[in-house]
Coordinates of all heavy atoms in Angstrom, one line a residue:
L734 N -5.8 34.4 79.9 CA -6.3 33.7 81.0 C -6.5 34.7 82.2 O -5.6 35.4 82.6 CB -5.3 32.7 81.5 CG -5.7 31.8 82.7 CD1 -6.9 31.0 82.4 CD2 -4.5 30.9 83.1
Q735 N -7.8 34.8 82.5 CA -8.2 35.7 83.6 C -8.6 34.9 84.8 O -9.4 34.0 84.7 CB -9.4 36.6 83.1 CG -9.0 37.5 82.0 CD -10.2 38.4 81.6 OE1 -11.2 38.3 82.1 NE2 -9.9 39.3 80.6
V736 N -8.0 35.3 86.0 CA -8.3 34.6 87.2 C -8.8 35.6 88.2 O -8.1 36.6 88.4 CB -7.1 33.8 87.7 CG1 -7.4 33.1 89.0 CG2 -6.6 32.9 86.7
H737 N -10.0 35.4 88.8 CA -10.5 36.2 89.8 C -10.6 35.5 91.1 O -11.2 34.4 91.2 CB -11.9 36.7 89.5 CG -12.6 37.6 90.5 ND1 -12.1 38.8 90.9 CD2 -13.6 37.3 91.3 CE1 -12.9 39.3 91.8 NE2 -13.8 38.4 92.1
I738 N -9.9 35.9 92.2 CA -9.8 35.3 93.4 C -10.5 36.2 94.5 O -10.0 37.2 94.9 CB -8.4 35.0 93.9 CG1 -7.6 34.2 92.8 CG2 -8.3 34.3 95.2 CD1 -6.2 34.0 93.1
P739 N -11.7 35.8 94.9 CA -12.5 36.6 95.9 C -12.0 36.4 97.3 O -11.3 35.3 97.5 CB -13.9 36.1 95.7 CG -13.8 34.7 95.2 CD -12.5 34.7 94.4
Q740 N -12.2 37.3 98.1 CA -11.9 37.1 99.5 C -13.0 36.5 100.2 O -14.2 36.9 100.1 CB -11.6 38.5 100.2 CG -10.3 39.2 99.6 CD -10.1 40.5 100.2 OE1 -10.9 41.0 101.0 NE2 -9.0 41.2 99.9
F741 N -12.7 35.5 101.0 CA -13.8 34.8 101.7 C -13.3 34.1 102.9 O -12.1 33.9 103.1 CB -14.5 33.7 100.8 CG -13.6 32.6 100.4 CD1 -13.4 31.5 101.1 CD2 -12.8 32.8 99.2 CE1 -12.6 30.5 100.7 CE2 -12.0 31.8 98.8 CZ -11.8 30.6 99.5
T742 N -14.2 33.8 103.8 CA -13.9 33.0 105.0 C -14.7 31.8 105.0 O -15.8 31.8 104.4 CB -14.2 33.8 106.3 OG1 -15.5 34.2 106.3 CG2 -13.3 35.1 106.4
H743 N -14.2 30.7 105.5 CA -14.9 29.5 105.5 C -14.8 28.7 106.8 O -13.8 28.8 107.5 CB -14.5 28.6 104.3 CG -13.1 28.2 104.4 ND1 -12.0 29.0 104.1 CD2 -12.6 27.0 104.8 CE1 -10.9 28.3 104.3 NE2 -11.2 27.1 104.8
N744 N -15.8 27.9 107.0 CA -15.8 26.9 108.1 C -16.0 25.5 107.5 O -17.0 25.3 106.8 CB -16.8 27.2 109.1 CG -16.6 28.5 109.8 OD1 -15.4 28.8 110.1 ND2 -17.7 29.2 110.2
C745 N -15.1 24.6 107.7 CA -15.2 23.3 107.1 C -15.6 22.3 108.2 O -14.9 22.1 109.2 CB -13.9 22.8 106.5 SG -13.4 23.8 105.1
N746 N -16.8 21.7 108.0 CA -17.2 20.6 108.9 C -17.0 19.3 108.0 O -17.9 19.0 107.2 CB -18.6 20.8 109.3 CG -18.8 22.0 110.2 OD1 -17.9 22.3 110.9 ND2 -19.9 22.7 110.0
T747 N -15.9 18.7 108.1 CA -15.6 17.5 107.3 C -16.0 16.2 108.0 O -15.6 16.0 109.1 CB -14.1 17.5 106.9 OG1 -13.8 18.8 106.4 CG2 -13.8 16.4 105.9
V748 N -16.7 15.4 107.2 CA -17.0 14.1 107.7 C -16.0 13.1 107.1 O -15.9 13.0 105.9 CB -18.4 13.7 107.3 CG1 -18.7 12.3 107.8 CG2 -19.4 14.7 107.9
V749 N -15.2 12.5 107.9 CA -14.2 11.6 107.5 C -14.7 10.2 107.5 O -15.2 9.7 108.6 CB -12.9 11.7 108.3 CG1 -11.8 10.8 107.8 CG2 -12.4 13.2 108.3
Y750 N -14.6 9.5 106.4 CA -15.0 8.1 106.3 C -13.8 7.1 106.5 O -12.7 7.5 106.4 CB -15.7 7.8 105.0 CG -16.9 8.6 104.7 CD1 -16.9 9.9 104.2 CD2 -18.1 8.1 105.2 CE1 -18.0 10.6 104.0 CE2 -19.3 8.8 105.0 CZ -19.2 10.1 104.4 OH -20.4 10.8 104.2
G751 N -14.2 5.9 106.8 CA -13.1 4.9 107.0 C -12.6 4.5 105.7 O -13.0 4.9 104.6
V752 N -11.7 3.6 105.8 CA -11.0 3.1 104.6 C -12.0 2.4 103.7 O -11.9 2.5 102.4 CB -9.9 2.1 105.0 CG1 -9.2 1.5 103.7 CG2 -8.8 2.9 105.8
G753 N -12.9 1.6 104.3 CA -13.9 0.9 103.4 C -14.8 1.9 102.7 O -15.4 1.5 101.7
D754 N -14.9 3.1 103.2 CA -15.8 4.1 102.6 C -15.1 5.2 101.9 O -15.5 6.3 101.8 CB -16.8 4.7 103.7 CG -17.6 3.6 104.3 OD1 -18.0 2.7 103.6 OD2 -17.9 3.8 105.5
K755 N -13.9 4.9 101.4 CA -13.1 6.0 100.8 C -13.7 6.6 99.6 O -13.3 7.7 99.2 CB -11.7 5.5 100.6 CG -11.6 4.4 99.5 CD -10.2 3.9 99.3 CE -10.2 2.8 98.2 NZ -8.8 2.3 98.0
H756 N -14.6 5.9 98.9 CA -15.2 6.4 97.7 C -16.4 7.3 98.0 O -16.9 7.9 97.1 CB -15.7 5.2 96.8 CG -14.6 4.4 96.3 ND1 -13.6 4.8 95.5 CD2 -14.3 3.1 96.6 CE1 -12.8 3.8 95.2 NE2 -13.1 2.8 95.9
Q757 N -16.7 7.5 99.3 CA -17.8 8.4 99.6 C -17.3 9.8 99.6 O -16.2 10.1 100.0 CB -18.4 8.0 101.0 CG -19.0 6.6 101.0 CD -20.3 6.6 100.2 OE1 -20.9 7.6 100.0 NE2 -20.6 5.4 99.8
P758 N -18.1 10.8 99.1 CA -17.6 12.2 99.1 C -17.6 12.8 100.4 O -18.4 12.4 101.3 CB -18.7 12.8 98.1 CG -19.9 12.0 98.3 CD -19.5 10.6 98.6
S759 N -16.8 13.8 100.6 CA -16.7 14.6 101.8 C -17.8 15.7 101.7 O -18.2 16.1 100.6 CB -15.4 15.3 101.9 OG -14.3 14.3 102.0

Side-chain angles (χ1 to χ4, degrees):
L734 179 62
Q735 297 180 357
V736 179
H737 177 68
I738 304 177
Q740 296 179 355
F741 62 91
T742 60
H743 66 278
N744 294 323
C745 296
N746 297 324
T747 306
V748 180
V749 180
Y750 295 90
V752 177
D754 297 328
K755 64 181 180 179
H756 296 294
Q757 297 291 336
S759 300

